[in-house]
Amino acid sequence: MTPEEQAELGRLRWRSRRGMRELDVLFNRYLDHAWAQDSEEQRGVFLRLLDCEDDKLWRWFMGYEDVPDAELAVFIRRVLDLPH
């Protein structure tokens, strides 16, 4: 990983920090296991997800509420299926 890529990943980790540890763990799981090899399109979906409110994210990831955006729903399922 280049220094620029490491710096970008560091900024994303900071931006991914939430008030809920569970969300932090999920976002870091994605950054650790998928970010580096993901397409720009998939990275864009992740960035859109970061713009969502924590309470919505929690309900979506826990399955308490349906995700209204199909692309986000598929992405959330992917994150949940990543290894721990």
Side-chain angles (χ1 to χ4, degrees), residues 19-45:
M20 295 181 195
R21 180 166 168 72
E22 294 86 350
L23 292 176
D24 292 348
V25 168
L26 290 165
F27 287 148
N28 279 308
R29 185 185 307 167
Y30 169 73
L31 292 171
D32 290 341
H33 294 285
W35 174 265
Q37 61 270 10
D38 254 356
S39 67
E40 287 301 315
E41 182 180 341
Q42 285 300 299
R43 288 178 176 192
V45 176

Side-chain angles (χ1 to χ4, degrees), residues 10-21:
R11 286 189 295 275
L12 285 169
R13 285 191 194 283
W14 182 256
R15 187 172 170 206
S16 298
R17 294 182 65 194
R18 302 294 173 154
M20 295 181 195
R21 180 166 168 72

